[in-house]
Amino acid sequence: MALGKYSRVDNNNNNNNRKSSSSYCSTVTIVVFVGLCLVGIWMLTSSSVVPVQTGNGSAEEKKNQVEDQVTPVSSDNNDSSNTSDFEDNRGDLPDDATKGDANVSLAENDGKGNLNTQENQDNTEETKMAESKKDDEQSASEGGEKSGDNSGGQGDSLENSDDKKSDSDENDKKSEENNEKSDLDDGDKKQDESSSETNGDQADNQIEEMVDQNDNKELEKSPDEPKDDGQLKNQSSNEVFPSGAQSELLNETVTQTGSFSTQATESKVEKETQLSSKKYSWKLCNSTAGPDYIPCLDNLEAIRHLPSTKHYEHRERHCPEEPPTCLVPLPEGYKRPIEWPKSREKIWYYNVPHTKLAQIKGHQNWVKVTGEYLTFPGGGTQFKHGALHYIDFIEESVPDVAWGKRSRVVLDVGCGVASFGGFLFDRSVVAMSFAPKDEHEAQVQFALERGIPAVSAVMGTKRLPYPGRVFDIVHCARCRVPWHIEGGKLLLELNRVLRPGGFFLWSATPIYQDKTEDVEIWEAMVELTKSMCWELVNKTSKDAVNGVAVAAFRKPTSNDCYEQRSKQEPPVCPESDDPNAAWNVPLQTCMHKVPVDASERGSQWPDRWPERLEKAPYWLSSQVGVYGKAAPEDFAADNEHWKRVVTKSYLNGMGISWSSVRNVMDMNAVYGGFAAALKDLSLWVMNVVPIDSPDTLPIIYERGLFGMYHDWCESFSTYPRSYDLLHADHLFSKLNKRCNLVAIVAEVDRILRPEGKLIVRDNVETINELENMLKSMQWEVRMTYSKDKEGLLCVQKSMWRPKEVETIKYAIA
């Protein structure tokens, strides 16, 4: 050991004893030196590697090498017991590893009393020698003396424990140590320094061995944790301790993954990805409609075989027997849609790259091409100079309309680009707008891209997918629907969905033009509406700004008029005809009676907005809810549930930027609680009630919300990339029993915008299956959570599209 550097510390005290005890001190020096060698052996033994036999073999080999360098003397009797104590803790990396290999031994044997104080002091001196090797000799000598007496950490704890046994023993040992140091000559000094270098090399190897062992342990816990073995091995043989950064790593006895993934996680993900890629092989849809493909509206083969298109049968739904499982391509140059409310005024041209409507309707200010944008300066044929003035003009003409108070939910027929519905938001009104696909190129797609509710539909041969008596107002501005023909069949369908006491607002040329055709249509409409007992509340003169007029008709609130008619045309529907039956039901030329029982839906007008949103409908009192409680209690519990979920989880816990969310769909709405909980956000929710679920859609409308019926085994009547967020609560597990889940996921991909979010609540099995399926489409999993066999999944759609193409033969012109 490098004791030569301490030989002059107490020279005055030692000179008196040098002559008389030189022989004795030489002998003691040899004993001390052997003790230091044994310390090295203990260090090797303490860091033995599992399996134990290998570690012991290495320790014995190094012990023999050390014993060959010194005169054979009797070894310390405590050697075997110390070795045994180290083996009890082999492979453990101590908390104070930065203090070197000597302190490692002290730390692992702290409190066991196996090491004497002199060995601890010598060992500590060796440690401090290596720390201060860059200092000058005098500073190193002083620092080493202080370290030998006052070394901190676990080594100091052991010294204090031994010191408390006997103060006199401590003083004798210190005196003995000083005598030993003073009697070392220069030759002994060189010899000891050489031995110190040998032990230093062994200590360096010892730390490397311990780091290797620790890394092996940590590999099991955190395979990706950075290692510093190479840096330690590149140190010089004189450098016993690692650098500061490496010391920090050595201090970490318990590792954490931090920002690094684990090998177990990476392997699991890769296996799942491979499994998904094998199970789900996605292809790109090839159809005539291209990026605008709507499977149930673009079944060209079925349309070609229609016996007639007189009643717009070719614009109705004709779903293929097997729904497509391919993915719809993106338009070239597609980019993230402009956010609301700017989107109401302009959209990206390349997101909806159609100019035909601008060419046909540009003079009416429907839409114009302006550089890379499509802009909407006016909004419609009947309000070239802005929809808001037209909306206010209606309310001035018919004060009972009371936008946003009495009138909350509107059906806009033949909506064009839906500017009327878009500006009704400013009056706290929501409008369900619809128009046929391609009657005017991409008009509904323009509406959705603008952030305005709309669906592709037509008044043809079937009922609209809405319950009876739910809309406060039905609006038609130049909608080109022949209301007066065939016994008023189409107008009678509006009568079915219009709430008793609600208004039909009609703005068209027959109201204010004197052309023969217009006059004839007006006279036919007056006769028809009178026979339906509709009251003509007002027929306005031309508006000075837009140059149009409006006729307002009101549906009766009793059956008195029906019973007093001299001619029962159109007839009253039989009692067996359910006005709420709407899915693929043919139109009937008849009128449903108005409910008069106070407990029946439709007999009373709903509360004003927004009170109607939170209040259970009056007609629920005698019914049982979908969750088994009395319907009012069921409604209230559902309402509070979604308030809690949306506030505590959806709005803050999923990383969704709700300012960029505008078009939302609840795929299984039940009471509409999810939509109601989002009422304070600048968005709208399409509430879908599946046809095989309890018919709660009338409740949703009663609350001042809107929605429609749908069968999720078929495609939805909307354009691709329509929605920013889809929400599905326990829907997919139910659909999986009767539908092709792959086709449903392909439909979800079709109607959701790139970077749009899907939130699914369902059982764990369904969540796992969906997660694998969506990962195979390279969707990003934003959140997944499960508890008590129930799961929550939030994913984000990517821009990825498959390269392999699948031609949809029935969708090719």
Side-chain angles (χ1 to χ4, degrees), residues 647-710:
T647 302
K648 294 186 177 181
S649 179
Y650 291 0
L651 294 184
N652 300 312
M654 292 189 174
I656 297 175
S657 176
W658 288 92
S659 62
S660 64
V661 175
R662 174 62 183 173
N663 302 358
V664 179
M665 177 187 286
D666 191 355
M667 300 174 69
N668 187 25
V670 190
Y671 293 125
F674 170 70
L678 295 172
K679 66 181 178 62
D680 294 328
L681 300 183
S682 183
L683 52 78
W684 56 270
V685 180
M686 178 68 73
N687 294 281
V688 178
V689 173
I691 61 170
D692 59 342
S693 298
D695 186 6
T696 54
L697 193 53
I699 300 174
I700 291 172
Y701 275 92
E702 197 80 5
R703 303 183 71 173
L705 308 172
F706 62 65
M708 59 188 292
Y709 299 115
H710 183 61

Side-chain angles (χ1 to χ4, degrees), residues 301-309 312-316 318:
E301 183 179 353
I303 292 173
R304 283 192 290 264
H305 290 85
L306 290 173
S308 171
T309 59
Y312 282 81
E313 291 92 341
H314 58 299
R315 302 300 186 199
E316 294 182 322
H318 302 282

Side-chain angles (χ1 to χ4, degrees), residues 14 17 138 229 325 346 367 563 795:
N14 293 330
N17 299 323
Q138 183 63 32
D229 295 310
T325 56
K346 63 180 181 180
V367 58
E563 297 168 355
V795 289

Side-chain angles (χ1 to χ4, degrees), residues 157-189:
S157 174
L158 182 56
E159 289 179 297
N160 291 339
S161 177
D162 289 336
D163 288 345
K164 291 178 180 179
K165 294 180 180 179
S166 175
D167 293 336
S168 60
D169 289 344
E170 177 183 357
N171 294 332
D172 292 340
K173 289 175 182 177
K174 287 184 179 179
S175 176
E176 179 182 332
E177 176 189 2
N178 292 332
N179 291 337
E180 291 168 358
K181 292 175 182 176
S182 63
D183 286 337
L184 291 175
D185 56 17
D186 292 339
D188 291 333
K189 176 179 178 180

Side-chain angles (χ1 to χ4, degrees), residues 714-734:
E714 303 173 357
S715 71
F716 195 77
S717 294
T718 191
Y719 281 86
R721 305 169 299 280
S722 295
Y723 289 88
D724 300 304
L725 187 144
L726 302 179
H727 180 258
D729 180 30
H730 291 83
L731 172 69
F732 291 101
S733 57
K734 186 176 181 180

Side-chain angles (χ1 to χ4, degrees), residues 112-124:
K112 295 183 180 179
N114 290 325
L115 295 177
N116 59 55
T117 306
Q118 180 62 51
E119 289 170 341
N120 292 342
Q121 291 175 343
D122 290 340
N123 213 356
T124 305

Side-chain angles (χ1 to χ4, degrees), residues 582-649:
W583 188 250
N584 289 331
V585 176
L587 292 178
Q588 299 291 325
T589 310
C590 65
M591 299 182 299
H592 295 89
K593 284 188 175 182
V594 174
V596 292
D597 191 325
S599 63
E600 190 176 356
R601 182 174 66 85
S603 61
Q604 302 178 33
W605 194 264
D607 290 340
R608 294 201 165 200
W609 179 263
E611 288 78 12
R612 63 193 285 184
L613 180 67
E614 304 288 338
K615 187 176 179 180
Y618 64 90
W619 41 269
L620 283 182
S621 57
S622 60
Q623 300 184 31
V624 177
V626 298
Y627 302 118
K629 301 178 182 179
E633 296 178 20
D634 231 28
F635 175 90
D638 180 81
N639 193 45
E640 292 302 315
H641 165 73
W642 286 112
K643 279 184 181 180
R644 187 167 56 252
V645 168
V646 168
T647 302
K648 294 186 177 181
S649 179

